[in-house]
Amino acid sequence: MVAFVEESKFRSLQDLFPNRMPISQYLNYIDWFSLLQYIEEHGYCRGGNHFRYDPLLMLKLIVVKCFRQLSYRDTVASLSQEDCYNLGVPLGEDGYHLPAHSTLHHFVKYRLKAEGFEMLMHIIGRTICRDSGETSGIIDSTPLEASRYNKDAVYNPHYQCKMDKAHIFHLGEFPITCCISGGTEADALYALSLVDDVNAMNPKLTAVFADGGYDSFQIHAGISYHLKARPYIDPRDSAVVNEEGTEPRIDHWVNRMWKVGGSIHDPLSMKLRFLYEHGRSEQVGMYLRNQNLLDPSFRETYARRGDCERTHNHIKSIVKFDIRGLRTDSKRLYLLMNFVVYQILLLGHLQNGIRPAQHLAQYF
């Protein structure tokens, strides 16, 4: 335990930025209930007084650490009296009783662990899907740059650096799920796992956008079947209209399966779902890509995909979203931790009706 007595040197930031709000104060406007419920049920032993410090305080300290991009030690040392008050740090006769930096580290690495942050990510994702009102999804990846001395990271010739990758599904401007891969692995390999994650969040999607790296029949079909959304995937230069994806061929295969329930009199959407469920997912993907190739307004609609690179750069400017200086066995933990912190910051804006949600410049 660390007893805080003196005002820290970081206190002067308030004088430098009188019109800005400490991040510790902003955290009081966020609804933490579902996150705390998970932590209390899964991060601690059942029964008895099993935590010394309030889990809410520990979670808020993680947000402060990642937002200010400090070490565990400097996070505790940087807290002003106002920060301690805002965070709800217990106050004793000898000052505020802060957890030691080693206690905060233990909470991250041994209480929550990577699996805990992954579950928090999904809880926040479900909340965003329920409350945001967004109806368009975006799948994209971003490089996680490594040190050039990192022996475990691979060199990506396109980005000209050693790196891993983060594959992210966005709901409008909100990132709702993420997975990590090697730096040269194909984006398409991770699209359907992201779709499965998002499907469990019950989104209300009408369209999902992705670049040409995701142009495969299986991904087209998976998005349509699981998310009930139209896939707007930029077709490759070599893409052509495939005859097997035309409506006469759809009817042909549905009719061939009449013994297992196929009917050419069903609406087209039902026929596509029927074929997907009976081993014809590639044909369903052919049909969906044909629709994009034949749609004269496709380019105009696809432009709504927005600037994902700008969003990814914003994440990296707010939290440490790279693998520089991270050990191989810890990088998943810290990448997920920073991703969850970024989600929490945007969640607060969503809950308080602040748009654009990514405007975080007023906090320090």
Side-chain angles (χ1 to χ4, degrees), residues 66-168:
C66 294
F67 181 79
R68 293 178 176 170
Q69 300 192 31
L70 299 172
S71 66
Y72 292 105
R73 187 184 298 275
D74 288 344
T75 297
V76 176
S78 72
L79 297 175
S80 66
Q81 287 190 15
E82 183 177 1
D83 283 331
C84 292
Y85 175 80
N86 290 333
L87 294 170
V89 179
L91 178 62
E93 293 182 358
D94 56 345
Y96 286 103
H97 290 184
L98 286 163
H101 68 274
S102 57
T103 304
L104 184 59
H105 173 263
H106 184 274
F107 180 78
V108 168
K109 190 166 185 179
Y110 299 104
R111 293 291 188 189
L112 287 179
K113 300 178 283 191
E115 293 74 19
F117 281 109
E118 189 170 38
M119 284 304 304
L120 294 180
M121 175 181 72
H122 292 154
I123 292 169
I124 297 170
R126 285 197 296 271
T127 303
I128 292 172
C129 289
R130 183 191 68 197
D131 298 340
S132 70
E134 297 282 357
T135 58
S136 294
I138 304 171
I139 305 175
D140 204 3
S141 67
T142 187
L144 302 171
E145 191 169 350
S147 164
R148 59 178 176 168
Y149 303 108
N150 189 319
K151 296 180 180 179
D152 298 307
V154 295
Y155 180 80
N156 186 307
H158 176 74
Y159 292 100
Q160 297 185 342
C161 67
K162 285 188 170 184
M163 55 176 272
D164 280 1
K165 275 186 184 180
H167 305 268
I168 304 174

Side-chain angles (χ1 to χ4, degrees), residues 148-286:
R148 59 178 176 168
Y149 303 108
N150 189 319
K151 296 180 180 179
D152 298 307
V154 295
Y155 180 80
N156 186 307
H158 176 74
Y159 292 100
Q160 297 185 342
C161 67
K162 285 188 170 184
M163 55 176 272
D164 280 1
K165 275 186 184 180
H167 305 268
I168 304 174
F169 194 108
H170 303 264
L171 188 64
E173 60 184 324
F174 300 96
I176 58 175
T177 191
C178 168
C179 63
I180 314 300
S181 77
T184 56
E185 294 190 61
D187 293 347
L189 296 175
Y190 295 87
L192 293 179
S193 65
L194 291 175
V195 168
D196 288 340
D197 286 348
V198 173
N199 184 42
M201 299 176 187
N202 298 315
K204 304 177 184 67
L205 290 167
T206 58
V208 174
F209 298 87
D211 62 31
Y214 299 92
D215 183 22
S216 81
F217 298 136
Q218 296 293 344
I219 293 174
H220 278 84
I223 290 172
S224 176
Y225 181 80
H226 293 291
L227 301 181
K228 300 178 178 61
R230 176 172 172 177
Y232 286 91
I233 301 177
D234 192 18
R236 301 177 188 273
D237 294 337
S238 59
V240 296
V241 174
N242 196 297
E243 183 181 357
E244 200 65 16
T246 60
E247 288 195 42
R249 297 300 296 171
I250 297 291
D251 285 342
H252 168 79
W253 280 98
V254 169
N255 191 50
R256 284 190 60 172
M257 299 183 187
W258 65 271
K259 288 185 178 180
V260 291
S263 172
I264 61 173
H265 302 294
D266 286 338
L268 179 60
S269 60
M270 290 182 62
K271 295 177 190 176
L272 294 176
R273 294 186 68 82
F274 173 82
L275 290 176
Y276 187 95
E277 293 169 355
H278 289 82
R280 302 289 300 177
S281 58
E282 186 170 304
Q283 184 179 21
V284 174
M286 291 177 184

